[in-house]
Amino acid sequence: MLLVGLAVFGTALVLLMHVFQRRSLGMPPLPEPALYPAVSLLKPLKGADAGLEANLETFFLLDYPEYQVVFGVQDESDPALDVARRVAVRHPEVPCAVVVDDRVVGFNPKVNNLANMLPVARHDLLLISDSNVAVGPNYLRHLVPHLLDPGVGMVTSLIRGVGGRGLGGVLEMIQLNTFIMAGVASVNRLGRVCAVGKSMLLRRCDLARIGGMEELGRYLAEDQVCGEAIHGLGHRVVVSPDPVDNVLGPLTVRQFASRHLRWARIRRHIAPFAY
């Protein structure tokens, strides 16, 4: 009977999560502000992900008044560097900076990269986005109004898995588009903090108040730590209902399992009861 009860409870919980997911996806965009503030997009790179060039190009095709793209690598020989420069050359209309710097501020390689990129970011609004993400032209127009809402200190996004190949890629898309997306939507609806590093918009001044990249570099789950720290300042962390695409490419079952084992360990540490 205990097992049956747990099964019924688990099924009901999953169904509730998917109700939250459907409601989040169906929400209309917020009204446009009178003036859109300028944004610096920080794109830390390491290696040539599947579809890297096409992914990066989507960030040069945004329908937004003023923004800057900043690429960063820690090694001059990184194959992502030539790809980033090639895309930037095709779009001289978009201000772009490329940073090659191997200095470290902690043991998180992504944060080390971001720390070296930050000094060349021109604007107060910072958008951190991974290299394997693709977005639509209205991405910033839909994201920024959430941050302009009084009391909001960070905006993250729902994640949609696309382009997975092989059995591992198919399993990854199923996992991202059901359990993960529904979980992020549910946490947001329940007023809890959930920050996803593939799409995080925040203010430079708030990043400084929580200790900057030096503080985040102490953790592997820097995105969630950043969200919780922003919340600790008295700000809300909200999830935009417009998903960004996590472009997957070929994955083996071993790679799929390894990735979600790592995520499960992080979830167990962050929210042991929910885990």
Side-chain angles (χ1 to χ4, degrees):
M1 288 301 294
L2 177 60
L3 291 177
V4 172
L6 288 174
V8 170
F9 174 76
T11 302
L13 184 60
V14 169
L15 290 174
L16 180 61
M17 288 168 59
H18 284 286
V19 169
F20 286 141
Q21 178 182 356
R22 290 178 64 85
R23 288 183 176 178
S24 294
L25 290 172
M27 292 175 60
L30 292 181
E32 293 195 2
L35 179 66
Y36 279 103
V39 179
S40 288
L41 306 177
L42 307 183
K43 301 287 292 184
L45 306 175
K46 183 174 176 59
D49 301 323
L52 176 63
E53 188 161 350
N55 295 342
L56 298 184
E57 188 141 33
T58 65
F59 287 85
F60 286 83
L61 302 174
L62 299 176
D63 178 15
Y64 196 79
E66 183 180 2
Y67 68 97
Q68 168 203 25
V69 177
V70 181
F71 293 124
V73 297
Q74 292 196 284
D75 187 344
E76 183 72 44
S77 65
D78 194 309
L81 186 58
D82 286 340
V83 177
R85 285 172 171 162
R86 188 161 62 242
V87 175
V89 166
R90 284 203 298 268
H91 296 278
E93 73 281 3
V94 178
C96 181
V98 179
V99 176
V100 182
D101 197 329
D102 62 359
R103 287 176 294 178
V104 300
V105 297
F107 62 81
N108 184 318
K110 175 182 172 181
V111 177
N112 292 333
N113 207 350
L114 288 168
N116 296 329
M117 298 158 63
L118 191 59
V120 304
R122 300 176 182 175
H123 307 302
D124 180 54
L125 266 58
L126 305 174
L127 188 286
I128 298 171
S129 173
D130 289 348
S131 60
N132 60 357
V133 169
V135 297
N138 290 324
Y139 172 57
L140 281 182
R141 283 190 177 272
H142 290 171
L143 200 69
V144 169
H146 291 278
L147 192 64
L148 302 182
D149 196 21
V152 174
M154 176 187 286
V155 188
T156 188
S157 300
L158 296 176
I159 307 300
R160 176 173 54 204
V162 302
R165 301 197 299 275
L167 181 56
V170 172
L171 291 173
E172 181 75 1
M173 286 193 295
I174 293 172
Q175 178 79 344
L176 286 175
N177 298 340
T178 56
F179 178 75
I180 298 298
M181 189 187 292
V184 173
S186 300
V187 168
N188 183 56
R189 286 277 182 159
L190 295 173
R192 300 294 300 276
V193 174
C194 183
V196 183
K198 296 191 180 301
S199 173
M200 295 197 321
L201 179 67
L202 70 162
R203 296 178 181 87
R204 185 194 298 262
C205 57
D206 288 333
L207 176 62
R209 289 178 64 195
I210 65 173
M213 295 299 180
E214 292 77 10
E215 173 64 18
L216 298 182
R218 299 170 53 212
Y219 306 94
L220 290 178
E222 84 291 333
D223 47 3
Q224 182 66 21
V225 170
C226 185
E228 291 180 354
I230 294 292
H231 185 260
L233 296 177
H235 300 319
R236 288 186 292 131
V237 176
V238 301
V239 178
S240 169
D242 296 301
V244 299
D245 288 340
N246 184 179
V247 182
L248 301 170
L251 287 175
T252 65
V253 174
R254 181 185 294 273
Q255 288 172 319
F256 161 77
S258 175
R259 177 174 177 175
H260 286 282
L261 177 61
R262 183 173 69 253
W263 282 20
R265 287 169 175 161
I266 292 172
R267 286 196 299 271
R268 183 179 63 184
H269 176 74
I270 292 171
F273 178 76
Y275 173 83

